[in-house]
Amino acid sequence: MEIETLKTATKLCGLLCITLTLGACATRLPEPAQEVVALESSPWAVASSGTAGPAPWQHQLFPGKRPNDYRYTRLDGRETMVVRADTSVSMLRQTMRVESADLGNLSFSWKVPSLLPAADMRERELDDSPVRIVLAFEGDRSKFSARDAMLSELAHALTGEPMPYATLMYVWCNYVPPGTVLQNSRTSRIRKLVMESGPGKLGQWQDYARDVRADFERAYGEAPGALVSVGIMTDTDNTRSSSTAWYGPVRHVRAAQPARALP
């Protein structure tokens, strides 16, 4: 049993690196583990700052994985971040802290010219996507299952950070209908909400405004904790394929606070 647990932990190490917004796992990356994107002052990054504070967008690298190429550009009159992936995966990520009571709407957009033919987000070994918006949340880790608690301890031991209490992703899937919530096959602490499915809207800008609280409650069946990071990620490493996609700015608008009664 201990051998099987060790094997599972070894396999999950790579998953923790990529999908739980952590840094190095089995071995530390050479410094810097995260590269501050040279485009942090680009119009895209400025427009994506929202109310998150001054933290720059950072290029999150994963050990043993070829990184994507992220570059600022303008397309169709829009400020965009174009990502090119070739058997690769990495993330642009911004840390923040938005308390649960302040969670409002997240707006984002993307343009995808083609899907990954071999990808299937229902299958562990084929779980790639041309676009992902990745949200990480705090929460009560005492609610973790024994398996997830083991993963969190592993992450903390290897990286100095526990894994997020919960990760919610907005994704484009090949097969599963929009609105479906997919649970990661290795951990219950990653849920994916399918925004688009199949080729019907390829080559067109898709714009979204999502109620973060409502989406989290739908995915997890409980109220969210504080939002602590937002990222954009394209991954083609599992299917060993290539992809190009464009992301518009990612903005969180805090919920309006009720007026206080005068004393």
Side-chain angles (χ1 to χ4, degrees):
M1 185 67 178
E2 292 181 357
I3 294 176
E4 290 304 314
T5 300
L6 180 59
K7 289 181 179 178
T8 298
T10 301
K11 292 178 181 178
L12 286 167
C13 182
L15 174 75
L16 289 169
C17 293
I18 295 173
T19 59
L20 302 183
T21 68
L22 297 176
C25 273
T27 58
R28 294 279 183 180
L29 286 175
E31 295 296 332
Q34 300 182 81
E35 299 176 335
V36 176
V37 179
L39 307 169
E40 74 272 13
S41 60
S42 72
W44 183 93
V46 171
S48 296
S49 294
T51 57
W57 284 81
Q58 296 178 308
H59 192 184
Q60 186 84 44
L61 308 178
F62 305 125
K65 298 292 184 177
R66 178 187 301 174
N68 299 333
D69 178 55
Y70 290 92
R71 297 177 186 270
Y72 163 72
T73 188
R74 285 185 61 84
L75 180 70
D76 303 328
R78 300 184 183 218
E79 312 294 345
T80 72
M81 190 65 68
V82 59
V83 55
R84 295 180 175 87
D86 182 10
T87 313
S88 59
V89 58
S90 60
M91 182 192 305
L92 286 190
R93 175 192 180 204
Q94 185 184 51
T95 59
M96 60 180 67
R97 185 173 184 87
V98 180
E99 300 298 338
S100 177
D102 295 327
L103 289 173
N105 287 335
L106 187 79
S107 64
F108 59 94
S109 59
W110 54 42
K111 183 176 182 178
V112 178
S114 61
L115 298 178
L116 308 176
D120 188 341
M121 302 189 80
R122 301 167 298 182
E123 299 293 333
R124 177 180 302 185
E125 305 304 328
L126 300 175
D127 188 4
D128 282 345
S129 180
V131 281
R132 299 181 192 250
I133 305 294
V134 184
L135 310 182
F137 297 84
E138 284 189 348
D140 182 2
R141 290 183 174 82
S142 68
K143 297 180 180 179
F144 277 179
S145 67
R147 179 185 179 86
D148 290 327
M150 180 270 290
L151 291 178
S152 186
E153 291 176 4
L154 173 66
H156 193 273
L158 294 173
T159 71
E161 297 180 53
M163 74 180 189
Y165 172 74
T167 298
L168 176 64
M169 299 183 181
Y170 297 106
V171 300
W172 192 318
C173 186
N174 281 12
Y175 308 108
V176 180
T180 302
V181 175
L182 296 173
Q183 179 174 307
N184 188 276
S185 60
R186 292 185 173 97
T187 171
S188 65
R189 307 319 304 165
I190 302 174
R191 310 284 170 93
K192 294 164 282 190
L193 180 56
V194 178
M195 294 286 97
E196 303 295 342
S197 181
K201 296 182 180 180
L202 291 176
Q204 309 167 44
W205 278 105
Q206 304 301 318
D207 300 284
Y208 309 91
R210 303 297 306 184
D211 183 328
V212 175
R213 175 180 295 277
D215 286 342
F216 186 95
E217 291 177 351
R218 179 179 179 182
Y220 282 94
E222 62 181 271
L227 174 66
V228 294
S229 73
V230 173
I232 63 174
M233 185 175 81
T234 294
D235 55 317
T236 65
D237 57 318
N238 287 333
T239 55
R240 303 186 65 81
S241 53
S242 299
S243 177
T244 298
W246 291 265
Y247 293 87
V250 182
R251 304 183 182 95
H252 176 264
V253 179
R254 292 174 186 262
Q257 297 300 309
R260 293 184 179 180
L262 294 176

